[in-house]
C-alpha cells in the first residue's frame, strides 16, 4: 500500500506543479488543482475505485489538455497505462470547441473501462460545481446546454460505475435533463 500511495502522491504533485498558476472560472477563483484532486476523491470515496493507474490518471487528466505537458512527458513520468487513460480523457485543443464536444459524445462508448471511470467522475465534479456556482461569463442557457451535453456523454459511459452513474442520474433528474440509461 505504501508504494500505491507514493505513486498517487507523485501524480498529485506533478499535477499541482503543472496547474500551479491556473484557477477555476467560479466566482471564488478556486485553485484549478482542486478539480483533479476532487475527481480522484470521487473515484475513491464514492466509486470505490482503488486502481492506482485510474487514480493517477484522474489527477493528471487535464495536464496535457490544459498545461504545457505532453503525452511523451507523461509517459516518461507515469508509464504507458496512465498515459493511455489520460489520452482517452483529453480533447484535442486544436479542434473547434463544438467538434471536441461532438467527439466526446461519439468516443464515450468506445473508451476503456478506466477512462470511463475518470470521465464519469470528471462529469460528476463539473456538474456539482455548476449546481453551486455559474462560471464567470456563462449564461443560464450555456449552463443548461452543458448539462444536456454531459448527459449525452454519460449515456456512452454506462455500466462503468453504477454508484457514480446514480449520482449523475440524480443531478440530471433535478435539472430535468433526460439521460439514456
Amino acid at each position: 500500500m505504501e508504494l500505491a500511495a507514493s505513486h498517487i502522491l507523485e501524480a498529485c504533485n506533478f499535477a499541482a506543479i503543472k496547474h500551479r498558476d491556473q484557477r477555476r472560472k467560479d466566482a471564488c477563483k478556486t485553485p484549478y488543482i482542486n478539480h483533479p484532486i476532487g475527481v480522484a476523491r470521487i473515484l475513491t470515496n464514492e466509486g470505490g475505485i482503488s486502481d492506482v493507474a485510474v487514480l493517477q490518471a484522474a489527477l493528471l487528466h487535464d495536464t496535457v489538455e490544459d498545461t504545457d505537458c505532453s503525452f511523451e512527458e507523461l509517459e516518461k513520468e507515469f508509464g504507458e497505462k496512465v498515459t493511455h487513460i489520460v489520452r482517452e480523457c483529453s480533447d484535442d485543443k486544436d479542434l473547434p470547441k463544438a467538434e471536441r464536444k461532438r467527439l466526446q459524445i461519439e468516443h464515450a462508448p468506445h473508451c476503456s473501462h478506466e477512462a470511463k471511470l475518470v470521465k464519469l467522475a470528471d462529469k460528476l465534479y463539473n456538474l456539482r460545481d455548476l449546481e453551486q456556482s455559474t462560471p464567470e461569463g456563462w449564461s443560464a442557457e450555456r449552463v443548461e446546454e452543458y448539462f444536456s451535453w454531459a448527459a449525452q456523454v454519460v449515456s456512452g459511459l454506462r455500466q462503468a460505475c453504477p454508484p457514480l452513474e446514480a449520482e449523475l442520474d440524480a443531478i440530471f433528474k433535478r435539472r430535468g435533463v433526460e439521460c439514456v440509461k
Side-chain angles (χ1 to χ4, degrees):
M1 186 59 171
E2 289 178 19
L3 190 57
S6 175
H7 289 308
I8 292 166
L9 288 171
E10 282 300 319
C12 190
N13 185 63
F14 184 92
I17 291 168
K18 291 296 183 180
H19 292 295
R20 70 184 167 273
D21 296 325
Q22 295 176 319
R23 298 278 183 254
R24 297 281 282 177
K25 295 177 182 174
D26 59 11
C28 296
K29 300 274 191 244
T30 308
Y32 193 86
I33 191 61
N34 291 14
H35 170 67
I37 291 170
V39 170
R41 188 207 60 77
I42 286 170
L43 286 167
T44 58
N45 292 5
E46 298 179 55
I49 305 303
S50 59
D51 182 298
V52 173
V54 170
L55 298 175
Q56 286 180 297
L59 290 163
L60 300 165
H61 78 275
D62 281 334
T63 54
V64 174
E65 190 175 312
D66 293 339
T67 77
D68 65 354
C69 184
S70 67
F71 287 117
E72 294 75 23
E73 180 181 9
L74 212 56
E75 187 164 346
K76 180 180 175 218
E77 295 293 326
F78 300 100
E80 186 178 329
K81 183 176 183 179
V82 171
T83 303
H84 180 73
I85 299 167
V86 172
R87 188 182 301 274
E88 288 185 279
C89 295
S90 298
D91 287 345
D92 179 350
K93 289 286 196 144
D94 290 334
L95 296 174
K97 185 176 183 176
E99 179 66 3
R100 294 193 312 260
K101 290 195 168 293
R102 185 190 70 75
L103 287 172
Q104 276 203 44
I105 296 166
E106 184 179 306
H107 292 157
H110 310 292
C111 289
S112 67
H113 178 73
E114 294 86 355
K116 286 181 178 184
L117 293 171
V118 174
K119 285 175 168 280
L120 284 168
D122 182 40
K123 294 294 175 271
L124 183 53
Y125 186 99
N126 285 336
L127 293 175
R128 285 175 173 167
D129 236 19
L130 278 175
E131 284 190 311
Q132 297 299 314
S133 173
T134 301
E136 290 183 3
W138 281 42
S139 65
E141 180 182 1
R142 184 171 176 191
V143 171
E144 290 308 313
E145 287 171 358
Y146 186 90
F147 275 90
S148 296
W149 167 78
Q152 293 176 66
V153 175
V154 168
S155 291
L157 303 172
R158 293 288 177 182
Q159 308 305 311
C161 188
L164 299 187
E165 293 166 42
E167 289 294 319
L168 285 157
D169 288 339
I171 290 172
F172 294 136
K173 184 177 180 179
R174 279 196 303 273
R175 301 296 291 208
V177 175
E178 186 177 335
C179 187
V180 178
K181 295 181 184 180

